Amino acid sequence: MRPFFGWFFIIILAPVLIYIGMIAGEEANNVKALDTVLDEKIPISKIQLARNSYIYDQKGNLISEVISEQENRIVVSYDNVPEEIKQLYLVSEDQHFFEHIGFDAAGMLRAVFTNIKHQSIEQGGSTITQQLARNVFLSHEQTYNRKLSELLYSYQLERTWTKEEIFETYLNSIYYSNGVYGIATAATYYFGKELKELNLAEMAFISSIPNNPTLYNPLQHFENTKSRQELLLLKLHENKLLSKEDYEKEIKAPIKLNVRGQIDHYPDYVTYVHDELNELIAEKEGYSKKINEANEKNRPVLQKQLNERINQITRNGIIIHTALDPSIQQKVTKAINSRLPYESIQGSAVVIDHKSHKIVALSGGKNYKKFDFNRAYQSYHQPGSAIKPLLDYAPYIDTTGATVNSMIDAGQFCDRRTNYCPKNYSGKNYGHVTLETALKNSYNTPAVRMLNNVGIEKAFSYLKPFHFEKIVKTDYLLPSAIGGFTYGMSPLELTSAYTTFGNNGNFYDNHAIIKVTDLQGNTLYEWGEKPIRVWKESTNDQMRHLLASVVSSGTGKRAAFPAPYIGGKTGTSNSYQDLWFVGLTDKYTAGVWVGKDKNGSIRGIYSSGTHLQIWKQIINN
């Protein structure tokens, strides 16, 4: 009989003790003492259930739902819950919810006799408040200690929250199987509708699931769910909330599931947005500066704090507004996948609207899967001749006042100090040529001469605004003039740097995220625009002319198509390990990289100009 005495104490004596405390004495000293103890031992404040966040494209279309803590949840307010839903849960779970103080003594007493009969804990007579306490603050283990804690938490909830707050949190916290939490999420997941759009039969159907999410999982046990739905409708009828005629109509109403899985499109772009969100929060909340200035011991601590802060923000529910252009993203993905059928050869591409300074599309690689290694911004490669406009030509023109028609020696060059003697691609010496001829044909020795003339330190200072993460001091050598870097650049970095040519010599940081708001539309974070002048406007005019000649009559001819303006630069690293083309039109700057993840020659596809074809397919409307 030990179960009897345990349950007698929990179900009968505990509530009685609380009631005695509430009515003893005119000054209610006992209840004050009890409440003081409970406030100390069980402090309950408003809780913020983990809820979904959302990523939208530039036109306001949802492209990805971000599920926090593996709980797919759309929160609905009490006022927006249909009355039929409230009635269904009241008649089936807690008919005296608006009268009791957290527990229903009569219901609990009935549970006592059931448990005595079975010599185990079969029923608990749980109210909605008790279920909420169990779901949010406690566990589901069937022990007497947990049951007593549940009663105390329930009492505290009733003291701290309004009935409406309790009911609202309950409906948003309960589990509806298949990773679905909350009544509003269930409506969207199982029927593809908002909660308010459901008919009564559908409301009763999803309301059947939480009683036993495994037994009443509609995707595996549809008939079980339907049977319980009919029971819930019967309860409405028995409680005179539904006429016999309507009851018979509702149980016969067809239930057609329209399961709507998690929305998650454009994995290449969305993966980058997640990383940029972390960067944005770190920047705006001061973590970036703290982490950069911290020593090795404190840096992991700060990083952990940042991660916790990011998790807190996303679990509260946010909307991330991005610059994604789905039509361009689809073209990028198609071009990379279709033009690189070779098993070991990869590629990536980035498209930036240089007028708005926004990243509108990017590819992380062939057949990209979300959160895989993203080659658009996580891979670094030798830029080859694609670095020449940034490191050689623009600084040379900017410091000397040269023009596209200025002459430069394309003959043999040899640095006696380092014995560095680069050759032109053809192995020939061309004598003195114009800057236009030198760039469009991608001669090497003129580029090295320009870097040597400007000075390595001075020329590299022109690259600082671009935030090339992997440039190191050992790169400050003449071979860098033709792409000889230790690590190189990512496609996103190099493409972003080229946007300067579309902005009159000014550089803007380019981002995917426009702003981040809470679920009510209040702006939480957004990037600020701070242009940096990299070179003079007159220099930029000369550079645009040079880049245009590359496409019209130089190494980039295969990228050409009729347009008001097209300019760009090809790049090939040593041994044909990397192929590049970075170019711009009046509106867009786009970069394409083709190569192997672990290096290796791709000379076999060099002559086909695959990288140029990809670029043209992406940009040409």
Side-chain angles (χ1 to χ4, degrees):
M1 295 298 291
R2 291 181 64 186
F4 169 77
F5 289 109
W7 270 95
F8 181 78
F9 175 76
I10 292 173
I11 304 300
I12 302 299
L13 290 185
V16 168
L17 289 174
I18 293 175
Y19 273 117
I20 290 174
M22 293 178 65
I23 63 175
E26 293 181 0
E27 296 183 2
N29 291 327
N30 290 335
V31 71
K32 287 182 179 180
L34 175 64
D35 290 351
T36 299
V37 172
L38 291 178
D39 287 341
E40 179 182 344
K41 300 296 183 181
I42 311 177
I44 292 180
S45 57
K46 294 292 185 294
I47 62 168
Q48 185 72 51
L49 296 171
R51 60 185 71 191
N52 294 353
S53 293
Y54 306 92
I55 302 176
Y56 287 87
D57 68 17
Q58 61 177 237
K59 294 183 178 179
N61 299 310
L62 178 63
I63 61 172
S64 182
E65 293 174 296
V66 183
I67 295 176
S68 298
E69 301 175 6
Q70 297 183 322
E71 295 184 4
N72 182 10
R73 178 182 287 111
I74 302 169
V75 172
V76 60
S77 68
Y78 179 84
D79 291 337
N80 289 326
V81 175
E83 288 302 315
E84 295 89 338
I85 292 289
K86 298 172 185 176
Q87 293 169 355
L88 282 164
Y89 281 92
L90 289 173
V91 298
S92 63
E93 300 293 332
D94 191 353
Q95 295 189 32
H96 303 291
F97 172 72
F98 285 98
E99 289 82 48
H100 62 61
I101 60 165
F103 42 80
D104 184 353
M108 296 167 79
L109 185 58
R110 287 192 299 272
V112 169
F113 291 108
T114 299
N115 291 313
I116 291 173
K117 179 180 179 180
H118 292 88
Q119 289 290 294
S120 65
I121 303 178
E122 298 289 335
Q123 293 183 14
S126 296
T127 64
I128 284 175
T129 312
Q130 287 174 266
Q131 292 179 54
L132 176 60
R134 186 164 62 240
N135 291 338
V136 176
F137 297 105
L138 302 169
S139 68
H140 289 260
E141 62 176 343
Q142 294 288 353
T143 65
Y144 297 123
N145 285 339
R146 199 276 298 156
K147 196 66 183 178
L148 181 55
S149 296
E150 181 184 300
L151 292 173
L152 296 174
Y153 270 90
S154 299
Y155 175 66
Q156 273 292 81
L157 276 169
E158 294 279 350
R159 289 184 57 240
T160 309
W161 294 3
T162 66
K163 287 288 187 180
E164 290 76 16
E165 289 172 333
I166 292 171
F167 207 167
E168 175 186 306
T169 308
Y170 168 75
L171 289 175
N172 285 308
S173 66
I174 47 183
Y175 183 53
Y176 287 83
S177 195
N178 297 298
V180 175
Y181 289 81
I183 186 73
T185 324
T188 301
Y189 181 83
Y190 291 110
F191 292 110
K193 302 178 184 178
E194 292 188 24
L195 183 59
K196 62 184 178 182
E197 297 175 326
L198 300 185
N199 59 42
L200 180 57
E202 293 168 335
M203 292 179 186
F205 188 84
I206 58 173
S207 296
S208 304
I209 303 171
N211 184 262
N212 189 324
T214 301
L215 180 63
Y216 299 124
N217 179 350
L219 305 188
Q220 297 180 359
H221 307 291
F222 182 91
E223 292 304 321
N224 291 349
T225 319
K226 184 67 174 71
S227 295
R228 179 158 177 82
Q229 175 234 31
E230 293 175 5
L231 175 62
L232 294 186
L233 291 170
L234 178 60
K235 285 182 175 291
L236 288 181
H237 172 57
E238 291 174 343
N239 284 271
K240 303 186 185 312
L241 296 170
L242 189 65
S243 69
K244 182 177 181 181
E245 180 182 355
D246 287 339
Y247 161 68
E248 292 175 348
K249 173 186 173 184
E250 295 297 337
I251 62 173
K252 294 177 182 178
I255 297 295
K256 296 181 180 179
L257 297 179
N258 180 25
V259 177
R260 200 214 77 177
Q262 179 186 357
I263 293 176
D264 204 9
H265 306 308
Y266 311 114
D268 316 59
Y269 194 91
V270 166
T271 296
Y272 178 72
V273 168
H274 277 269
D275 277 356
E276 189 180 291
L277 174 66
N278 295 351
E279 181 186 347
L280 175 58
I281 294 173
E283 179 69 25
K284 295 302 179 180
E285 299 209 356
Y287 284 98
S288 296
K289 182 179 180 181
K290 292 178 182 177
I291 291 172
N292 289 335
E293 295 177 351
N295 56 38
E296 291 186 8
K297 179 180 179 180
N298 293 331
R299 192 170 290 124
V301 176
L302 290 169
Q303 187 62 54
K304 182 180 179 182
Q305 292 175 0
L306 172 59
N307 294 339
E308 290 173 350
R309 176 60 178 152
I310 292 169
N311 290 336
Q312 178 189 18
I313 291 167
T314 54
R315 80 181 302 277
N316 289 344
I318 56 175
I319 298 175
I320 306 167
H321 303 265
T322 76
L324 173 73
D325 186 322
S327 63
I328 297 179
Q329 180 65 44
Q330 290 163 12
K331 290 169 68 175
V332 166
T333 302
K334 182 179 180 180
I336 293 293
N337 289 339
S338 65
R339 293 192 177 273
L340 295 173
Y342 324 99
E343 182 178 352
S344 62
I345 299 178
Q346 268 289 354
S348 66
V350 176
V351 183
I352 299 172
D353 182 337
H354 55 243
K355 296 300 183 184
S356 66
H357 325 302
K358 301 301 180 186
I359 303 167
V360 297
L362 59 81
S363 167
K366 290 190 302 184
N367 305 310
Y368 186 81
K369 300 293 187 298
K370 187 177 178 182
F371 295 136
D372 280 356
F373 176 72
N374 194 305
R375 295 165 186 83
Y377 69 99
Q378 293 176 321
S379 64
Y380 294 82
H381 306 277
Q382 301 293 332
S385 294
I387 198 63
K388 291 175 181 177
L390 302 170
L391 182 61
D392 309 327
Y393 282 80
Y396 180 75
I397 293 172
D398 206 54
T399 56
T400 66
T403 69
V404 297
N405 295 316
S406 296
M407 305 301 288
I408 188 78
D409 188 358
Q412 183 179 3
F413 175 90
C414 199
D415 179 24
R416 296 179 180 177
R417 295 166 299 177
T418 60
N419 203 30
Y420 174 61
C421 304
K423 303 291 184 182
N424 292 319
Y425 174 75
S426 66
K428 299 179 180 179
N429 295 320
Y430 297 99
H432 283 76
V433 298
T434 64
L435 266 61
E436 180 176 354
T437 298
L439 185 65
K440 75 178 184 179
N441 294 309
S442 204
Y443 296 156
N444 287 333
T445 57
V448 177
R449 280 190 168 90
M450 290 181 205
L451 177 60
N452 190 52
N453 180 290
V454 173
I456 293 176
E457 289 286 344
K458 176 67 174 178
F460 267 86
S461 71
Y462 280 84
L463 300 186
K464 289 184 179 179
F466 305 138
H467 316 302
F468 288 126
E469 185 177 344
K470 297 289 188 177
I471 285 184
V472 292
K473 198 64 180 177
T474 52
D475 291 328
Y476 283 51
L477 299 169
L478 286 178
S480 293
I482 54 176
F485 287 77
T486 306
Y487 302 105
M489 292 87 187
S490 73
L492 177 58
E493 287 180 337
L494 199 54
T495 306
S496 186
Y498 266 67
T499 63
T500 310
F501 298 120
N503 286 293
N504 296 318
N506 290 307
F507 176 73
Y508 295 79
D509 285 319
N510 300 284
H511 298 290
I513 296 175
I514 297 173
K515 64 178 178 178
V516 178
T517 70
D518 60 22
L519 297 179
Q520 290 72 46
N522 301 305
T523 299
L524 302 176
Y525 307 100
E526 58 185 335
W527 294 106
E529 289 193 351
K530 296 179 180 178
I532 299 174
R533 176 155 293 283
V534 185
W535 44 71
K536 295 187 285 289
E537 189 170 340
S538 59
T539 298
N540 202 70
D541 292 339
Q542 297 298 313
M543 288 305 304
R544 285 175 64 85
H545 184 110
L546 289 174
L547 294 172
S549 69
V550 172
V551 177
S552 63
S553 58
T555 58
K557 284 188 291 185
R558 292 188 184 183
F561 60 87
Y565 176 82
I566 301 178
K569 185 66 186 76
T570 53
T572 307
S573 65
N574 288 341
S575 303
Y576 297 90
Q577 294 189 28
D578 305 281
L579 301 179
W580 293 85
F581 183 70
V582 188
L584 66 155
T585 63
D586 282 346
K587 184 175 182 181
Y588 297 111
T589 301
V592 173
W593 165 84
V594 174
K596 294 183 178 182
D597 287 334
K598 295 183 179 180
N599 296 325
S601 176
I602 56 171
R603 184 167 188 165
I605 69 169
Y606 170 76
S607 60
S608 65
T610 301
H611 52 310
L612 296 165
Q613 294 174 28
I614 291 172
W615 190 92
K616 183 176 179 179
Q617 182 175 336
I618 291 170
I619 296 300
N620 187 4
N621 294 327

